[in-house]
Amino acid sequence: MAPTAVSPALSHTAPAVLKRHAAPRTSFSFDPIESALAAFQAGEFLVVMDSEDRENEGDLIIAASHCTTEKMAWMIKHTRSVPPCFLLMSSSKSLSGYICIALPGERLNELELPMMVPENQDRHRTAYTVTVDYKHGTTTGISASDRSATVRALASPDSRPSDFTRPGHMVPLRARAGGVLTRMGHTESAVDLCVLTGLSPAGVLCELVNDDAQGTMARRDDCRAFADKWGLKMISVEMLAEWRRTHPDGQTINSS
């Protein structure tokens, strides 16, 4: 998953879907899981941290069904790094953002999206599939409009394998059955968040990096500052797992 930059001084204004939060924070804390789930259900981004002894990174996550062109554009604007493999895979001359979409394995099977490589050598076994673009009403596939169309199509139960071209500019990730109770990753978190909020099980995600000369990864306090700046809720993968452990019946939150 490609990093998204945490900028200390963003020049563009926040889109209508985001709201700045200026109240000073005297000590670190996560947001309550209930309010985070409600925000996610309403179409807001969440910042989700994994454990400090794993990746110790934060991801922006939003439900694919809520990912409008405006929200995708905001996500792309904060992205500063693209892995070289994506540059080689893409036919575009100018790229911005290695944004991924997490989906259940059975849905990827229905869409005929196999794994990207036969032998996964990723350190945390992030399960990348072949990349795709939605073929209807799109152009090169890289714009915010095209990518938002692709993720919404991947989230739609009505989409078929023939609706997508391969390779493309969106990177599906195969979430493990059992979600965060099986694998404590951002991929599983994205799908679990959708399931727990009654949304189509498809979550768009992208890692956060600091907007510095080295492009360093955003750690806990960096991510907290970013979330506060943009009025986003911040939780951890462990909080999500604990919610699932204490709600074993798969209970979803109620719509307000």
Side-chain angles (χ1 to χ4, degrees), residues 57-184:
E57 295 172 358
D59 276 32
L60 278 176
I61 303 180
I62 189 171
S65 57
H66 282 309
C67 194
T68 62
T69 295
E70 183 185 31
K71 292 176 182 178
M72 179 64 79
W74 185 84
M75 209 171 188
I76 293 169
K77 283 177 182 178
H78 288 74
T79 301
R80 297 291 185 270
S81 177
V82 183
C85 62
F86 193 49
L87 291 168
L88 293 173
M89 288 188 295
S90 175
S91 59
S92 297
K93 295 180 181 178
S94 177
L95 297 178
S96 179
Y98 196 61
I99 297 173
C100 299
I101 175 169
L103 293 155
E106 57 269 23
R107 182 56 180 150
L108 290 169
N109 291 340
E110 293 170 355
L111 293 173
E112 299 176 7
L113 296 178
M115 301 308 297
M116 183 181 289
V117 294
E119 181 183 353
N120 190 340
Q121 298 178 0
D122 181 79
R123 179 180 178 185
H124 295 290
R125 298 296 186 267
T126 302
Y128 298 94
T129 77
V130 297
T131 56
V132 296
D133 286 334
Y134 187 54
K135 66 164 60 171
H136 308 296
T138 58
T139 55
T140 63
I142 191 63
S143 69
S145 176
D146 286 359
R147 281 194 268 184
S148 65
T150 298
V151 299
R152 291 196 305 273
L154 287 168
S156 171
D158 298 325
S159 295
R160 300 181 178 182
S162 59
D163 290 321
F164 303 93
T165 57
R166 305 157 177 80
H169 298 83
M170 280 309 306
V171 187
L173 305 175
R174 189 182 187 98
R176 289 190 192 175
V180 294
L181 299 183
T182 301
R183 178 179 182 271
M184 298 280 283

Side-chain angles (χ1 to χ4, degrees), residues 24-47:
R25 186 178 294 272
T26 58
S27 62
F28 176 84
S29 64
F30 288 109
D31 293 295
I33 186 70
E34 294 85 355
S35 63
L37 290 172
F40 188 84
Q41 186 181 58
E44 296 183 21
F45 287 95
L46 295 185
V47 175

